[in-house]
Each structure stands twice: as structure tokens, then as C-alpha cells.
Amino acid sequence: MSAIASKTTWQLVPPVELPEEFLREVQRYGGDTGEHLATLPWNRAVRNLQKLPGFLDPQHYTSTDPFEFGSEMHQAVERLGQARHRGEKVTIWGDFDADGITSTSVLWEGLGQFFDTQYLDYYIPNRLKESHGLNCEGIDRLANAGTQLIVTCDTGSTNLEEIAYAASRGIETIVTDHHTLPDDRPPVVAIVNPRYLAETHPLFHLSGVAVAYKLVEALYLTFPTIPQQPLEELLDLVAIGLIADLVQLSGDCRYLAQMGIGKLQQQLSNPTRPGVAKLLELCKRTGDRPTDISFGLGPRINAVSRIQGDASFCVELLTSRDTRRCNELAVETELANARRQELQRDVMQQVRQKLSRLDLSTTCAIVLEDPQWAPGVLGLVAGQIAQEYGQPTILLSRDRSDFEDADESTVQFAVGSARSVNGVDLYQLVKSQSHLLHRFGGHPFAAGLSLPVENIPLLVEGIDRQLRQKIDAGEYTLGAIVEADLQVTVSELGKELFRELKHLEPCGMGNPVPKLLIRNCWFDRVWHRNIQDSKGRKVKYIKTEFSLWDESAEEGFPGIWWGHYKDEIPPGRCDAIVELDYNTHSQKRRYEVRLIAVRSSQHAGELGQVDDSGLQILDWRSSQENQTADVPVLQTCPASWDELRSWVREATGGTRESPIAIGYPPPEVVTPEQVWQQLVGIAKFLARTEKSATLEQLRQKLGIGDRSLEFGLQFLPQIGFFVKQDEGLLSFTFSPDSPDPDEAIEIHPFLEAVREEQFRRQYFSQISLEMVRSMTVL
């Protein structure tokens, strides 16, 4: 029996020599750019010179006729035409995730051009009570309300029993979906599903919302005189669903996403969808980037059903023109997302605790169950764990409702989510255990399932056996793989590289965001904090901020690491894999990196070691007996590698010829609260005497650095001080009508900054000379 590899492997895509004609074609349509832009599509098999223009610029792409779906599309359009002519009631049956919500919204607006509202309705299942797909209870409600035709979107392909039940209630069904097909065609009027097409077909990878859009497009082509709204007005909704659903963005998927983002970015300046505009405002994004969807709109729409179960109002949020109502719904959506982040963090911590007690080398798949886990976030956590550990992951919680089995005895059910990794076909893997399941659906990368609790051990055993056989046969490999597309330096990060790489957008499955490897770098000003919700309340979800350096950089480059603490960044020289981004969320609107993976350079193997030969550094921290006037001595304990390196550069003049020494004493033990009182006392003195001081004088007096002092100066106005800076001098005035300057106020960020700085100074007071030498290479 084979052992299971669970290590993390870093891979750098090997450089290639590009054909000159390919380079010229990229520069023709992608602008006067460097080789980075050409290298990435070439490495991702976008090499056809005839298709390259359409990849780089949607204006050069020819969209595919919706009737490429063949007879199924013709039958769907014909039946909808009959329903309109007969005055039948049509109900859209959607789904509760972002793809399902946008699919429903597209059909609600699109079919709304052909049906009066009295003949059109929509139904979104409750995630926590009904799960995905059609169900008989919901069908009963629709039948009692007079529905004669159901049009599904993003669901329905495998609901054979439910479709038959709807027929028994006098309801016909049209399925529009993109999930895996059953072995036999369901008994429906039409099933518009790209899975029937060849894998190379430009429509094959459409998500649910794109399939819905193609149905509406077919109606527009068939009945061109009826619609009043241009078809293109739906494209912003299509882009949201496409990118949020993580489908492969190739062919028409890429084209629709590109065109949709073009529509979406108009919402802030010309809000035709006030709900979308308000969501963009709340998440501080502009809508011109796919990440505005994947990290902004998508998670917020998904959060509603994860937290509340019922996400029906999200359709109103996306389609209503009532600004006041949409603002209310957007705020409710934002708060649901904040709650989702907290739950996700809590479940993630508990999953990691369980994993720490397991020997993962003996199992192929990770299957864990806890009756207290929030079912709504299990898919998110499973995805994180699968990527982190390199093994398919299934997380299960307990279904609170009771089901009746054939013997009419109460059965408890587990419900959960599964996520794949490394190309493992999760759908087939779980389907192999269908005899143990109550419900199941999904696609090769993600699935949802429910099963009797008593069957969980059998599921674990069966899935592990099936996957082990595939691994032994060489079909799959396990282990986390972090692949970098390009190797760059910190000095290359910024506007020019960002603009070059932006031609690849929208990124997604098959065309991921470019990963950049930075070797032999280090981190400074590392700081983590809880994020806040729209009402300013702290959310128990961490992000770490930092400044990234290497030998090429004259200044650090800002970055963030979502969901990680500062202590997870190793000290000293590192190798990092990052994504380059432009942050519109920041008040300064800055270019920054998003950290994907990091590891210490001393464990990087082929990534090389640091050469610190030639620089002589003496350690005089504990004794000054041998000090000479000819040797520069660092007398103040630094708080960062940046400070230490800056002093080394200044002391040596950029050469290695003369020795230097570190001779600073241990830092004084002063509490952060005492530092605050000292700052207030200095401000009082300078205000009373009308004197001024430089920033350097304040830093020296307080024994703190720039960042801590900046925080402190920001809090002084809360107790009545007005701070003025003129030509490098700080002066203070105090209003007699202001609060008592000795009054306690919330200064937690300042205290934490000082505490962090003091910790760092304590670290540098004790660090070994070998580490100092290795980290101060010129």
C-alpha cells in the first residue's frame, strides 16, 4: 500500500524562448509591453495566432450563436413562446449562490421583456432547509400558485424524480444548467446544458448565469421586436456570476466576462443597478477588476444564504431600481458577509485542530464531521483546506431537520461540502459512494452532499479506497502545489508590471491570476488586525499587512495576507509567492501584493542561499572595552531589518572594506501606556510654551519609531490637541473647550503599535551576530 505525499511543492514555470511572430502579435493587441505578457498566455496554451486577438481584446472575439445548443435551445424557445401566447404562469427556479442568484436575475429581467409580471415569478430554495436543486415541497407551492412551466437556472440536471413529480402536478420543466449530466436525459421540455457539447466547444465551460443569458439571447433573436431593454444590459450580471462561480474563463466565458466587467465599472458613475452600485461602495471597489467580483461582490452575495438560508431578496437587490430599498438590502448583505467571515474563521480553526491530531500520511482524502459546524461555510473552509494540504476535502455538519426512512424511523443526516485539488474528479469520486448518500450534486471541482450519520465511516473508507486506487494507477497525485508563473524583484512591482499583466484579465480557472516568485526577500512593518464591518464593528477575521523588501528595492512594497497572523511570516530572508493588485479599498489607492505563500530561504533548497562574505560586523552590545573611534557604532536598538540595513548602508558608504559594530544597550522597559502619557505630557509642554519639535526629537524622546508615533499623533486631536507640521517642525495648540487631556480614550491601535515595536526591539537586542551578518548583505 502506497504512502500518501502531503508535502507542499513550489514550482516555477520554466522560461521559454517565444517565437518572434507571437511576440509581435501580443504587442499588436496588448500594447507595447514586455515579454511577461507574452510568456503567460504561451505557457497557458494560448498560442493560436488567429485566436490570440480575441483573447487579449473582446472586440476581436466573435461570440457563439446560442442555437449552437441545437434542438434543446430550439425546444426551449418554442415552449416559452407558447407560454407567452397562452398566458401561462412561468416560474424561474434558481439557486442561492452567486451564480444561481445572477442566473435568476438574468432570467427575471430577460424573460420579463416577454412576460408581464403577473405571469412571471421566481423561487430560490433556502440553503439551510432545502439545499440545492428542485424539491417536491417547493413544487407543491408553485403548483398551488398556478405555475404551469418551470425554467430552472444553475440547477436541475439531475433532479429526475422531482421533474417527474412536477409533471404529475401539471408543470412542465425547462432546465438551464451547467452541472454534470445524468446518464439518461431527464423528462423535460428542454435541457440547455453545455455538458452535452464537446469539451473544446467555446460554450462548454459556461456557468449557470451564462447559460441563462444564452437562452435570453435566443429569445431576442427569435422575437426581436418584443424586447425594450438591450440584451447587453444583462452583461454585468453575467460577469458577476461567471467570475464568482470559478468556471474556466475561455471561449465565450472569457468574452462575456470581459464585456460584463466593462458594464459593471459604469455602475458607480451611472448606477443603473443601485443595489450593485451600493455593494461596490460598501466593499470600496470600482467594478473594473475581476477581483472586485471574486473578493467583493461574489462573497457578499454568497454570504446571505450561508448565514440566513433565504437569499431571495438578493434578486431584488440586483434587479430593483428602487435606490432606497436597494441600499437597505445592500447593508443587510454586507453584514451577512461580516458574520460569514467570523464563522469561517472559527470553523477553520476547529478543522485545523482536528487535523493536528491525525496522521494525514495514511489517508488520501480528508473527511471530517462536527455537528456544531455552520453548514453555510463548509464549502469555503473545505476549499482552503484542500489547497493547503493538497488533498480532496469533505467537511460535514449535522442537518437539524429530521428525515423519515423506509421503516418510518427517524434518521439523522449529515450535510456538507466537498472540494477538489490537483485535478481530482471529485464528482466521480463521491458518486462512487452514491449508495451511501441521501442527496448529492456538483461538478468535478466542488460538490454538496447529505447522508445518514451512521454512513460516515463507510463513506470515509470508500472514498479513501477509490482515491488510493487512482493514485496507485498514476491517475492522480496529492500534495499541495504552489506554482509561480514568473520570477521578479521587488523593484519590478508596481504600475508598469500591473498594467502589463492586466491584459490577461479576467483571470480564473484555466487562466489564474499570475503568481510572482520573489526570492531572498524580507518583511518589515508586519502588522495584523481584525477587519471591521460596515458599522465599524470588529470582525473576528484577520488580515496581516506588511512591507516587502529585497536587495533591488529602495523602499518597501506594501502587501496583505488575508486570514493569517503576523507571527506566521518567518523572520529573516524568505522566498515569497505573491499576486500583484491595485487596491481601491485603501484610502491612498495603492499598488500592493497579496501574499500567497512564504517560506524561509534557509529551507528553500534550489532557491539558493545568501552570500554574506566580505562585510565585517562587530558585536559590542555587551562590552565597549574594544571600541575605537574609527569604527562606526550603531548606538540605538533597531526595531526592524529596514532600520538596521539603512544604518549599515550609511555607515559603510556602500562598501565592505571597513568594519562596523552594533553596540546598542538593551531597550528600556516602559509600558505602552507610559509612552502615551509621555506623549501627552510633551504635547502639553509644547502647547504651553509655544515651542516646536522635530519628528526625530519626538521619536528619540519616546523611544518609538515612525509608525507608532504616527498613530499617537492621530489620537491627540481626540483630547483637544491640534497638531501642525511646518517644514519638519511639529507644534501643538490646545483648545480650552476640549475634553480633559488626561481623560481615558480608546487608543488601542497606538498601544498595540508600541507593544509590537518594543517586542521587535527586544528581539534585535538579543539576535545573534550571524543573523545580523546574513540579513545585512549590501
Side-chain angles (χ1 to χ4, degrees):
M1 188 174 290
S2 62
I4 307 302
S6 60
K7 66 177 183 178
T8 299
T9 302
W10 283 30
Q11 296 178 351
L12 175 63
V13 177
V16 295
E17 186 173 346
L18 301 174
E20 284 295 328
E21 58 182 359
F22 188 82
L23 277 171
R24 286 195 299 269
E25 196 74 2
V26 170
Q27 291 174 347
R28 179 181 176 188
Y29 294 98
D32 187 14
T33 59
E35 288 194 14
H36 289 328
L37 175 59
T39 298
L40 288 164
W42 181 271
N43 286 340
R44 295 172 181 184
V46 182
R47 301 174 182 178
N48 187 307
L49 292 181
Q50 284 69 48
K51 294 182 178 180
L52 185 62
F55 178 86
L56 296 173
D57 186 346
Q59 300 302 327
H60 294 281
Y61 184 86
T62 302
S63 63
T64 307
D65 190 314
F67 289 104
E68 286 278 316
F69 281 102
S71 61
E72 300 289 354
M73 182 65 82
H74 285 283
Q75 289 162 196
V77 170
E78 181 182 355
R79 181 65 182 88
L80 285 167
Q82 292 173 355
R84 181 176 186 275
H85 178 72
R86 297 170 182 170
E88 294 178 315
K89 183 172 182 180
V90 178
T91 297
I92 303 158
W93 188 298
D95 197 24
F96 40 70
D97 65 7
D99 190 25
I101 292 294
T102 53
S103 301
T104 307
S105 301
V106 163
L107 289 183
W108 176 246
E109 280 195 11
L111 296 183
Q113 299 295 306
F114 301 88
F115 293 86
D116 292 336
T117 54
Q118 62 179 319
Y119 299 114
L120 189 65
D121 199 1
Y122 61 83
Y123 183 86
I124 305 292
N126 186 303
R127 178 192 283 265
L128 303 181
K129 295 180 180 179
E130 299 174 79
S131 191
H132 296 276
L134 298 166
N135 63 75
C136 294
E137 294 80 4
I139 291 170
D140 283 337
R141 286 194 286 272
L142 299 190
N144 295 336
T147 294
Q148 294 163 280
L149 176 64
I150 289 175
V151 181
T152 76
C153 50
D154 192 37
T155 194
S157 292
T158 58
N159 290 129
L160 304 184
E161 294 181 6
E162 290 81 5
I163 290 169
Y165 181 75
S168 72
R169 295 297 310 265
I171 301 175
E172 291 188 300
T173 304
I174 295 172
V175 170
T176 73
D177 194 11
H178 72 119
H179 293 97
T180 304
L181 291 165
D183 295 332
D184 299 318
R185 183 184 184 277
V188 293
V189 172
I191 176 168
V192 183
N193 189 320
R195 298 282 173 176
Y196 278 124
L197 303 172
E199 193 167 347
T200 55
H201 196 284
L203 298 178
F204 180 79
H205 293 290
L206 295 187
S207 73
V209 68
V211 176
Y213 177 82
K214 283 297 182 181
L215 174 61
V216 175
E217 183 182 1
L219 285 168
Y220 270 61
L221 291 173
T222 306
F223 308 105
T225 61
I226 297 176
Q228 300 299 306
Q229 173 180 288
L231 177 67
E232 293 74 20
E233 293 300 310
L234 299 172
L235 285 171
D236 50 358
L237 298 178
V238 176
I240 295 172
L242 268 171
I243 292 173
D245 205 49
L246 300 178
V247 294
Q248 182 168 315
L249 294 180
S250 60
D252 275 53
C253 281
R254 180 174 175 82
Y255 167 75
L256 291 171
Q258 287 171 315
M259 299 298 291
I261 289 173
K263 286 288 184 184
L264 184 63
Q265 64 183 322
Q266 300 172 13
Q267 288 302 322
L268 289 183
S269 59
N270 180 28
T272 58
R273 299 188 186 279
V276 173
K278 186 62 178 179
L279 278 182
L280 287 170
E281 177 189 326
L282 288 172
C283 62
K284 296 183 175 62
R285 295 181 181 270
T286 58
D288 66 333
R289 303 283 314 290
T291 49
D292 294 349
I293 296 171
S294 54
F295 294 105
L297 300 179
R300 282 160 174 78
I301 296 171
N302 282 324
V304 175
S305 64
R306 296 183 190 280
I307 300 303
Q308 301 181 9
D310 184 5
S312 298
F313 77 72
C314 289
V315 178
E316 182 181 1
L317 170 67
L318 298 182
T319 60
S320 172
R321 268 52 175 178
D322 184 338
T323 301
R324 183 173 180 178
R325 174 62 173 161
C326 286
N327 286 348
E328 294 173 354
L329 297 178
V331 170
E332 186 173 346
T333 302
E334 180 74 12
L335 294 176
N337 186 57
R339 177 59 179 153
R340 184 273 305 171
Q341 289 173 320
E342 286 191 276
L343 287 175
Q344 183 178 343
R345 186 198 71 121
D346 291 344
V347 173
M348 175 63 81
Q349 288 182 338
Q350 294 170 34
V351 168
R352 285 201 173 112
Q353 289 174 359
K354 288 179 178 287
L355 289 173
S356 67
R357 298 192 290 267
L358 299 178
D359 182 2
L360 294 180
S361 67
T362 63
T363 183
C364 297
I366 294 173
V367 184
L368 298 174
E369 187 262 349
D370 191 305
Q372 301 305 315
W373 285 341
V377 300
L378 292 185
L380 298 172
V381 178
Q384 288 181 271
I385 293 297
Q387 292 298 322
E388 185 175 329
Y389 289 84
Q391 297 177 234
T393 299
I394 301 174
L395 300 182
L396 301 165
S397 183
R398 196 61 55 87
D399 190 344
R400 301 296 185 270
S401 59
D402 290 331
F403 294 85
E404 301 296 324
D405 68 5
D407 297 326
E408 298 185 351
S409 61
T410 300
V411 177
Q412 276 200 312
F413 279 73
V415 295
S417 295
R419 294 295 183 269
S420 184
V421 71
N422 295 355
V424 174
D425 189 332
L426 190 62
Y427 183 87
Q428 294 300 327
L429 186 65
V430 179
K431 185 181 178 182
S432 69
Q433 308 303 308
S434 58
H435 59 286
L436 301 173
L437 306 177
H438 171 65
R439 301 188 69 170
F440 166 65
H443 51 73
F445 305 109
L449 67 158
S450 68
L451 74 160
V453 172
E454 62 185 19
N455 286 355
I456 293 177
L458 296 174
L459 177 72
V460 174
E461 181 182 343
I463 284 182
D464 196 69
R465 182 177 61 254
Q466 288 285 329
L467 186 52
R468 190 180 297 274
Q469 290 173 357
K470 300 285 186 182
I471 293 170
D472 289 343
E475 294 185 38
Y476 299 136
T477 59
L478 298 184
I481 298 175
V482 184
E483 186 174 75
D485 297 283
L486 302 167
Q487 181 179 334
V488 300
T489 62
V490 173
S491 63
E492 292 179 85
L493 301 173
K495 182 178 180 180
E496 293 306 316
L497 181 58
F498 176 81
R499 291 178 62 184
E500 185 176 343
L501 298 180
K502 196 173 187 296
H503 286 285
L504 292 167
E505 293 183 351
C507 295
M509 296 287 292
N511 180 42
V513 177
K515 304 289 190 298
L516 310 176
L517 169 64
I518 302 176
R519 292 177 171 172
N520 207 25
C521 58
W522 61 88
F523 295 81
D524 191 17
R525 297 187 178 183
V526 184
W527 178 257
H528 69 236
R529 62 183 177 87
N530 289 104
I531 64 173
Q532 294 181 336
D533 64 22
S534 61
K535 295 187 176 180
R537 297 176 300 202
K538 285 187 177 179
V539 179
K540 293 181 180 178
Y541 190 82
I542 291 292
K543 85 170 176 181
T544 288
E545 299 180 8
F546 55 81
S547 183
L548 182 64
W549 295 75
D550 70 3
E551 297 298 345
S552 74
E554 295 183 359
E555 59 180 299
F557 196 84
I560 57 175
W561 199 13
W562 286 102
H564 291 268
Y565 292 87
K566 60 180 177 12
D567 297 335
E568 296 179 62
I569 292 181
R573 297 281 174 136
C574 300
D575 296 303
I577 294 179
V578 302
E579 295 174 354
L580 181 59
D581 197 12
Y582 181 68
N583 188 354
T584 57
H585 184 90
S586 168
Q587 292 181 351
K588 297 181 180 180
R589 296 202 169 199
R590 67 185 189 183
Y591 294 95
E592 65 183 22
V593 292
R594 186 162 49 247
L595 185 60
I596 304 301
V598 61
R599 64 185 184 187
S600 175
S601 289
Q602 61 183 328
H603 300 302
E606 72 279 3
L607 295 183
Q609 302 296 323
V610 177
D611 177 12
D612 64 345
S613 60
L615 178 61
Q616 184 179 4
I617 303 179
L618 308 175
D619 189 355
W620 289 346
R621 285 174 292 182
S622 59
S623 172
Q624 286 80 37
E625 292 181 4
N626 298 322
Q627 291 189 17
T628 68
D630 297 332
V631 177
V633 181
L634 178 58
Q635 307 259 359
T636 303
C637 183
S640 69
W641 290 113
D642 179 27
E643 286 185 35
L644 185 55
R645 291 190 191 93
S646 296
W647 177 82
V648 170
R649 283 194 291 267
E650 182 178 348
T652 61
T655 71
R656 300 170 181 259
E657 298 174 358
S658 303
I660 58 175
I662 54 173
Y664 43 79
E668 295 183 21
V669 180
V670 181
T671 67
E673 290 78 10
Q674 288 173 324
V675 175
W676 169 251
Q677 291 302 322
Q678 290 175 7
L679 176 58
V680 173
I682 292 172
K684 288 181 182 178
F685 172 78
L686 294 177
R688 185 175 65 252
T689 60
E690 298 184 353
K691 293 184 178 181
S692 58
T694 66
L695 287 170
E696 180 60 29
Q697 287 173 328
L698 289 179
R699 287 194 296 265
Q700 290 290 338
K701 186 68 175 177
L702 298 170
I704 59 178
D706 290 333
R707 189 168 184 272
S708 299
L709 180 57
E710 181 182 349
F711 271 120
L713 295 176
Q714 289 175 359
F715 283 106
L716 286 177
Q718 295 187 26
I719 55 175
F721 288 100
F722 177 73
V723 185
K724 181 180 179 182
Q725 186 171 358
D726 185 21
E727 295 183 355
L729 292 176
L730 289 173
S731 59
F732 300 83
T733 55
F734 182 74
S735 172
D737 298 328
S738 299
D740 183 350
D742 294 324
E743 180 180 336
I745 62 172
E746 177 55 53
I747 55 171
H748 179 72
F750 171 76
L751 299 179
E752 284 299 310
V754 173
R755 190 171 290 113
E756 169 67 15
E757 188 175 335
Q758 290 176 338
F759 172 82
R760 286 177 170 272
R761 292 193 192 280
Q762 191 66 37
Y763 168 79
F764 279 98
S765 71
Q766 302 172 359
I767 195 169
S768 69
L769 186 60
E770 288 75 15
M771 179 64 78
V772 172
R773 286 170 175 160
S774 68
M775 292 299 295
T776 53
V777 179
L778 293 174

